[in-house]
Amino acid sequence: MSSTLYPVDVEFGSLNEIHTAAMSTMSSELADYLEGGAGLEVTLDANRAAFTRHRILPEPMSGVQQPSLRTSVLGIELATPILTAPFGGDGLFHPDGHCAVATAAERSGTVDIVPEAGTHSYEHVRRVAPGGARIAQLHPFAHAAHNAERIVAAGYDAICVTVDSAIGGFRTRNMHNRFAPDLYAFSGNLTGLGEGDPSVAEVMSRLVHGGAQPWNWTQLAATARHFRLPWIAKGILTPAAAERALQAGAAALVVSNHGARQIDPAPASLDMLPAVRRAVGPEVPVLLDSGVRTGADVFLALALGADAVIIGRAAIYGLAAAGVTGVTGVLDLLTEELRVLMILSGAASIADITAERVLEVRP
Ligand SMILES: Cc1cc2nc3c(=O)[nH]c(=O)nc-3n(C[C@H](O)[C@H](O)[C@H](O)COP(=O)(O)O)c2cc1C
């Protein structure tokens, strides 16, 4: 039993505190790269607004005292339904980048999705934190088969394919700032790709500016057949895309608008989640990201159809603020808030967080 008035004993008491600490470590250009969305950032606001339109209903005297937060995604056991997102250029925020994020995930009993455009290689992150580095992300471009082989050889359990990024979104703040980060921070997996060995600058240019032979679903399905691991389609917003991804062989989906960094204005992820869940039925694992900042957000996403959520910026705030400790702090804060809400709302388990526990309020 904690001896303080607070339910958790963490170095940081709130995400706001972590956010402030994170911002103090970076230039305004880097902060813009992190915080910014595409276009006029309508979607950035919409992602948050969607969460604030929902309320959690109390269940007085439910008798729930020790809810179980355990769940699993594609057979990977999780102590909390919160994963950390693949984000490229991680070394811009902290030299340890995803090594720190995956270590924090491991400590919190969850999983990091290790990015292709990260600072450290898939192999290195997995060596540092084998319990946290369980899923690796790649882009469906010409080098996908090569990097998928590396992911399998390194011992990952699943591959996350980002399907919403045929070209980088029109990121207004980066253009305004002429943001030109050190490409080294993105280079962990982008060298030695075995296709005439393009430079990191070339690969990045193709990722950001398009022209990277973005595949259609048929091509992705043909390559993914050889992945030898289950794969997750990240960047699904519509029932139609969900169905195409499943037809192409995806074993799970991430309902995501890429943290509002691709199409603007795109719908909020949370707003599209119920329709995607209805379209794919109850069995397909569906994750959600974009705008998750609190334990209440996790509860709402689960209630509206997600099996788990992924945090992007919230994890990066922790990383920039204090490396492993910071990311662990964020995961613990969100998890603890979720636990408290489950008790107050009478949800005994993750599966017990259902739509009936939530009220949508119209503005
Ligand atoms: C700085 C940054 C870099 C990102 N890089 C990638 C990436 O390389 N690949 C990818 O699939 N998603 C990338 N994302 C998107 C995240 O995986 C995730 O979808 C998004 O951050 C979720 O929204 P949130 O930040 O509101 O939680 C990036 C996001 C940020 C903030």
Side-chain angles (χ1 to χ4, degrees), residues 6 11 77 80 101 111-112 197 262 268 292 303 318 340 357:
Y6 305 100
E11 182 167 331
E77 297 290 327
T80 178
V101 181
V111 165
D112 180 37
D197 215 358
Q262 289 299 93
V292 176
V340 169
R357 300 194 183 280

Side-chain angles (χ1 to χ4, degrees), residues 33-36 44 47 85-89 93 115-118 137-139 160 162 164-165 171 234 256-261 289-293 310-314 316:
Y33 167 67
L34 168 58
E35 304 277 55
L44 201 60
N47 280 339
F87 54 92
F93 303 106
E116 180 170 60
Q137 174 266 342
L138 52 71
H139 296 90
C160 173
T162 299
D164 63 4
S165 301
R171 313 257 170 93
K234 172 176 180 284
S256 167
N257 55 35
H258 210 109
R261 295 163 85 82
D289 79 18
S290 302
V292 176
R293 301 287 182 273
I310 301 173
I311 53 169
R313 292 182 185 82
I316 304 177

Side-chain angles (χ1 to χ4, degrees), residues 68-357:
S68 167
L69 277 71
R70 301 202 72 81
T71 188
S72 70
V73 171
L74 294 176
I76 304 172
E77 297 290 327
L78 304 171
T80 178
I82 308 168
L83 291 79
T84 49
F87 54 92
D90 42 327
L92 298 170
F93 303 106
H94 188 286
D96 296 340
H98 273 272
C99 294
V101 181
T103 302
E106 182 172 321
R107 287 189 190 168
S108 301
T110 186
V111 165
D112 180 37
I113 306 177
V114 179
E116 180 170 60
T119 307
H120 305 282
S121 67
Y122 299 128
E123 294 84 355
H124 182 67
V125 181
R126 171 117 182 118
R127 267 195 303 274
V128 170
R134 304 280 299 272
I135 303 175
Q137 174 266 342
L138 52 71
H139 296 90
F141 299 144
H143 52 267
H146 175 83
N147 273 353
E149 281 303 310
R150 291 177 50 195
I151 291 167
V152 173
Y156 285 85
D157 296 84
I159 295 177
C160 173
V161 182
T162 299
V163 297
D164 63 4
S165 301
I167 186 170
F170 193 84
R171 313 257 170 93
T172 311
R173 295 197 215 188
N174 294 348
M175 292 183 59
H176 177 81
N177 293 331
R178 275 66 169 176
F179 184 57
D182 184 351
L183 289 186
Y184 172 77
F186 300 82
S187 70
N189 296 301
L190 301 181
T191 49
L193 291 171
E195 40 159 331
D197 215 358
S199 67
V200 173
E202 270 176 73
V203 180
M204 281 303 292
S205 168
R206 289 190 224 161
L207 288 176
V208 174
H209 304 299
Q213 303 160 33
W215 296 347
N216 56 37
W217 288 114
T218 312
Q219 289 167 300
L220 175 55
T223 298
R225 253 196 294 282
H226 305 289
F227 276 175
R228 294 193 283 140
L229 282 176
W231 63 277
I232 306 168
K234 172 176 180 284
I236 299 296
L237 270 190
T238 62
E243 280 158 19
R244 298 302 300 272
L246 295 181
Q247 280 161 13
L253 308 172
V254 183
V255 175
S256 167
N257 55 35
H258 210 109
R261 295 163 85 82
Q262 289 299 93
I263 291 182
D264 188 85
S269 294
L270 192 73
D271 284 335
M272 299 309 290
L273 175 64
V276 171
R277 170 53 82 194
R278 268 195 305 278
V280 302
E283 302 303 330
V284 175
V286 174
L287 290 79
L288 172 132
D289 79 18
S290 302
V292 176
R293 301 287 182 273
T294 67
D297 297 340
V298 181
F299 189 105
L300 294 171
L302 266 47
L304 296 182
D307 294 298
V309 304
I310 301 173
I311 53 169
R313 292 182 185 82
I316 304 177
Y317 301 154
L319 175 67
V324 177
T325 315
V327 182
T328 310
V330 172
L331 286 167
D332 287 353
L333 278 172
L334 269 62
T335 298
E336 182 57 18
E337 185 185 348
L338 175 63
R339 193 179 71 82
V340 169
L341 289 168
M342 289 173 71
I343 294 172
L344 295 174
S345 67
S349 66
I350 294 301
D352 199 15
I353 301 178
T354 55
E356 293 75 50
R357 300 194 183 280

